[in-house]
Amino acid sequence: MTETTKDKPWLFRTYAGHSTAAKSNALYRSNLAKGQTGLSVAFDLPTQTGYDSDHVLARGEVGKVGVPICHLGDMRALFADIPLDRMNTSMTINATAPWLLALYIAVAEEQGAEVAALQGTVQNDIIKEYLSRGTYICPPKPSLRMITDVAAYTASALPKWNPMNVCSYHLQEAGATPEQELAFALATACAVLDDLQRKVPAEAFPAMAGRISFFVNAGIRFVTEMCKMRAFTELWDEICRDRYGIEEPKYRRFRYGVQVNSLGLTEQQPENNVYRILLEMLAVTLSKNARARAVQLPAWNEALGLPRPWDQQWSLRMQQILAYETDLLEYGDLFDGNPAVAAKVAALKDGARAELATLDGMGGAIAAIEYMKARLVEANAERLARIESEETVVVGVNRWREAEASPLVGCDGGIMTVDPAVEADQVARLSAWRAERDGAAVAAALAELRRVAETGENVMPASIAAAKAGVTTGEWAGVMRAVHGEYRGPTGVSASPSNRTEGLDEIREAVDAVSTRLGRRLKFLVGKPGLDGHSNGAEQIACRARDCGMDIHYEGIRLTPEQIVAAAAEDGAHVVGLSILSGSHMPLIEEVMERMRAAGLGETPVIVGGIIPEDDAARLLAMGVARVYTPKDFELNRIMFDIVALADPQPVAAE
């Protein structure tokens, strides 16, 4: 391939957003000036779960993992001086996807953009939220309806827009094997297309199938991951052709964006993460026939906390060097005809087909949510067990732990922190917005929104009208909750112990001994306060505690401190474990500790796990927290021994 026919590079994106719409806007404009070619918007957890910034569940979460968007004014500020008619915008939004797209359309119209020319993607994949990320609101069936409402609306109104990004990224983050990631994602796409067939004319359906895109993960086993991407492209072509009768090859093309793996980023020796990210990027760029259309890379320090602008710039430069300094884009596919690659792709496809057949036999992805969740929890437990046993080597974690101090982690801890004053500032602007809007117009818009939600009409036109009237995110989601109800997803943690009890005999004996002294089985309550839906750690702690013989109480995600303390009192918990990965640990745990003391549970030990900087860990310990665990504490058995010791009414001196 000559220089004149060199392939165009993929879109360079950075997943970004924090604090406020104005601060995020400044970050976006800075990233675009540095050579980023597309936007990838991170929303905060209240926005993702349909709460306004002043809701009780939003406390401590505002602006932490993304930008808060409560109304049209926030969205307007987010994209100020960024011409949306010349932008390709990806919005990682699911339960509230119709609403955020409605706000985006309203802002584009204000800018004078031609709406039909807008380009971008809403993730809009609620099924994986039930399985791994936890930002769902409503039950599966009405949620699926909203996904296909968005798709059907874009068919004519936004023909260049990707109405759904089937997201296998978080499946791998939850521990999925490559075969599970393939099967669960493809089953999700089939559930959407099955429903969408009823909403668009038959002649328009192939083009709509062609607008479905995917968002995948690439782990450190980059040969396997590259073969997985080739398997994805071939299986999707096969499904579109054989299941849906789509004849046009361009509508069967597997189009995907990627963020490489964050699960494998380590808190220990974090500078090593730069190499991990680079190798993982190769998996989705080396094979031309399975190359990503857009790539966003995590920063080297995401296991420590929120990356700084420099950290994000470093990841962007990694993409630019590969695309512009190497000769990768000058060649055709490097792996066609390779027998080892062909064999691995065939094996992955066979495994995925077998899993797809199981899901189809259960009635498809919607019916199989509980089954898929349990499979992910099991797979993640097996992954962690391999790391603990050193069957899987993780450099700096279970091998070669001794290292020089990293000069990259300076006096600021190597991360950016969100000013706590951001929340009060955002709430004040929200109050002003409510006071200044036309109340009658808002009431009329909400009434119409409720009517279409109840009748089954497409929710998008009424959502756009509500956006323009000044309705807030919490009000829009409140209508959906009122009409469709709320939902608590399966935890994947069964009450029955697993068969993985090898190496647990000593802990089980200790649990039995302490339980005898306590007069009943050691009760361990695991809670997730706030809106953080990343439940992998809590699930694995609960599973290991169960397998060690403890009586566990784990209800899943999204609980208030009040609910957790009430459960601890009712169950007579001997130890309470809290898991928070969203950065909201300080205010939420402080409230839990205050409520524990007020309920007469001040002597009950509380342990905490999450992405917690050292200074915050010290503050939590001073607050009365008994133990603080971070991602470096991967040895679950050691944590189990700590729980036993904390629960022991007659602790013995350490030997």
Side-chain angles (χ1 to χ4, degrees):
M1 185 179 291
T2 65
E3 182 67 27
T4 56
T5 58
K6 185 176 181 179
D7 289 340
K8 290 182 179 179
W10 51 91
L11 282 172
F12 303 156
R13 284 190 173 128
T14 303
Y15 181 57
H18 66 86
S19 302
T20 66
K23 288 181 182 294
S24 297
N25 171 263
L27 177 63
Y28 295 162
R29 287 188 286 112
S30 173
N31 285 346
L32 290 169
K34 293 172 184 173
Q36 185 174 306
T37 52
L39 291 178
S40 182
V41 181
F43 297 99
D44 73 355
L45 287 173
T47 304
Q48 293 184 51
T49 51
Y51 294 107
D52 285 331
S53 296
D54 58 355
H55 192 278
V56 61
L57 275 170
R59 184 180 179 222
E61 306 278 17
V62 176
K64 286 286 171 62
V65 301
V67 58
I69 300 294
C70 290
H71 47 72
L72 183 61
D74 284 340
M75 189 65 100
R76 193 183 288 144
L78 184 65
F79 292 110
D81 300 317
I82 298 175
L84 297 185
D85 57 353
R86 300 204 302 270
M87 193 53 51
N88 190 307
T89 304
S90 173
M91 295 192 285
T92 302
I93 197 71
N94 296 284
T96 53
W99 175 243
L100 271 297
L101 180 57
L103 289 170
Y104 189 87
I105 290 169
V107 168
E109 288 185 357
E110 287 184 348
Q111 289 187 358
E114 182 185 352
V115 172
L118 294 177
Q119 297 185 68
T121 304
V122 278
Q123 193 166 95
N124 203 22
D125 174 3
I126 202 66
I127 293 177
K128 67 94 174 48
E129 297 298 325
Y130 302 125
L131 300 177
S132 54
R133 193 163 170 267
T135 69
Y136 54 79
I137 298 173
C138 299
K141 287 185 178 178
S143 295
L144 177 64
R145 179 194 135 193
M146 282 189 272
I147 290 173
T148 53
D149 275 0
V150 169
Y153 181 79
T154 62
S156 57
L158 287 86
K160 296 183 178 181
W161 194 270
N162 298 320
M164 189 205 183
N165 208 211
V166 181
C167 182
S168 71
Y169 174 83
H170 293 95
L171 301 179
Q172 188 179 130
E173 295 290 297
T177 65
E179 293 85 353
Q180 289 170 342
E181 187 179 345
L182 285 163
F184 294 0
L186 292 170
T188 295
C190 289
V192 170
L193 289 183
D194 288 349
D195 194 63
L196 184 59
Q197 275 186 311
R198 304 182 297 104
K199 294 187 175 183
V200 297
E203 63 274 14
F205 180 75
M208 283 309 301
R211 298 308 305 168
I212 301 295
S213 61
F214 290 74
F215 187 72
V216 306
N217 202 326
I220 193 65
R221 294 172 59 82
F222 75 93
V223 175
T224 296
E225 295 294 312
M226 184 272 292
C227 291
K228 180 189 75 181
M229 297 320 308
R230 291 172 72 94
F232 250 137
T233 64
E234 294 175 20
L235 285 168
W236 182 239
D237 182 80
E238 180 182 299
I239 287 169
C240 289
R241 184 190 66 232
D242 298 346
R243 182 175 178 132
Y244 296 107
I246 297 173
E247 297 179 0
E248 180 62 51
K250 70 178 181 180
Y251 294 143
R252 304 198 305 260
R253 189 178 302 134
F254 185 81
R255 302 177 310 114
Y256 77 99
V258 64
Q259 169 153 329
V260 307
N261 190 274
S262 291
L263 183 66
L265 301 182
T266 63
E267 180 183 3
Q268 306 94 315
Q269 301 176 29
E271 62 278 3
N272 296 341
N273 293 329
V274 174
Y275 302 129
R276 294 185 175 106
I277 294 165
L278 173 60
L279 290 169
E280 290 163 354
M281 178 174 61
L282 293 179
V284 294
T285 53
L286 283 179
S287 177
K288 178 178 178 178
N289 293 340
R291 183 172 292 149
R293 293 169 65 94
V295 176
Q296 58 192 45
L297 303 179
W300 67 280
N301 55 348
E302 285 194 13
L304 305 179
L306 191 65
R308 301 158 299 191
W310 183 88
D311 306 313
Q312 293 186 328
Q313 173 187 291
W314 201 14
S315 285
L316 174 62
R317 293 292 182 254
M318 194 182 298
Q319 294 202 57
Q320 292 168 326
I321 290 168
L322 179 63
Y324 294 113
E325 293 192 24
T326 78
D327 58 355
L328 174 65
L329 298 179
E330 297 172 17
Y331 293 91
D333 198 286
L334 305 177
F335 301 98
D336 282 352
N338 183 305
V341 169
K344 183 63 175 177
V345 171
L348 289 170
K349 287 166 64 178
D350 287 345
R353 286 194 191 100
E355 191 72 76
L356 278 166
T358 298
L359 298 176
D360 278 340
M362 300 176 75
I366 293 291
I369 285 172
E370 191 165 346
Y371 162 81
M372 290 191 287
K373 178 66 176 178
R375 291 274 287 164
L376 290 175
V377 173
E378 290 170 5
N380 204 19
E382 291 167 2
R383 181 189 68 85
L384 285 171
R386 289 192 296 271
I387 295 173
E388 285 185 282
S389 68
E390 296 190 22
E391 178 185 344
T392 296
V393 173
V394 183
V395 175
V397 174
N398 59 10
R399 295 280 292 277
W400 306 292
R401 301 185 194 190
E402 296 299 319
E404 299 294 329
S406 172
L408 296 176
V409 181
C411 59
D412 61 357
I415 58 172
M416 183 173 71
T417 56
V418 174
D419 187 345
V422 161
E423 184 167 326
D425 182 45
Q426 172 69 10
V427 169
R429 283 196 307 278
L430 173 60
S431 297
W433 177 268
R434 290 197 189 111
E436 294 167 7
R437 65 187 182 175
D438 183 336
V442 168
L446 289 172
E448 174 62 7
L449 183 65
R450 178 159 190 151
R451 185 192 69 77
V452 300
E454 290 173 339
T455 61
E457 295 175 43
N458 193 302
V459 75
M460 282 303 300
S463 295
I464 295 169
K468 294 176 179 178
V471 166
T472 69
T473 297
E475 290 165 343
W476 181 90
V479 170
M480 299 305 143
R481 288 183 169 93
V483 173
H484 302 304
E486 292 195 67
Y487 181 76
R488 288 199 68 78
T491 66
V493 180
S494 71
S496 303
S498 71
N499 296 322
R500 288 184 299 273
T501 57
E502 184 179 351
L504 300 183
D505 290 346
E506 185 181 355
I507 306 175
R508 291 171 66 87
E509 290 172 3
V511 170
D512 287 343
V514 168
S515 297
T516 298
R517 289 195 287 274
L518 290 168
R520 59 188 173 93
R521 182 58 46 183
L522 193 166
K523 186 77 177 186
F524 178 45
L525 184 147
V526 179
K528 283 195 65 64
L531 296 177
D532 170 34
H534 290 86
S535 55
N536 300 345
E539 290 158 1
Q540 294 307 315
I541 290 289
C543 285
R544 184 63 59 86
R546 174 203 63 197
D547 291 347
C548 289
M550 300 182 201
D551 180 7
I552 62 164
H553 179 122
Y554 175 59
E555 294 182 25
I557 63 171
R558 215 181 300 170
L559 298 170
T560 64
E562 182 179 13
Q563 290 171 319
I564 290 171
V565 173
E570 183 178 345
D571 283 3
H574 297 114
V575 179
V576 173
L578 305 177
S579 170
I580 306 175
L581 285 86
S582 63
S584 58
H585 44 270
M586 292 308 303
L588 289 175
I589 292 168
E590 182 178 25
E591 183 178 348
V592 169
M593 299 302 290
E594 289 172 354
R595 288 183 177 275
M596 290 284 285
R597 287 189 287 270
L601 302 176
E603 299 302 312
T604 302
V606 174
I607 64 176
V608 174
I611 299 176
I612 300 172
E614 287 185 9
D615 288 350
D616 285 358
R619 291 169 60 196
L620 291 172
L621 293 170
M623 199 184 290
V625 170
R627 299 282 190 281
V628 176
Y629 303 100
T630 64
K632 71 178 182 297
D633 299 297
F634 69 96
E635 296 170 312
L636 300 189
N637 287 353
R638 184 174 68 80
I639 297 174
M640 296 301 112
F641 275 121
D642 287 351
I643 294 169
V644 171
L646 289 169
D648 195 340
Q650 297 176 333
V652 295
E655 294 182 4

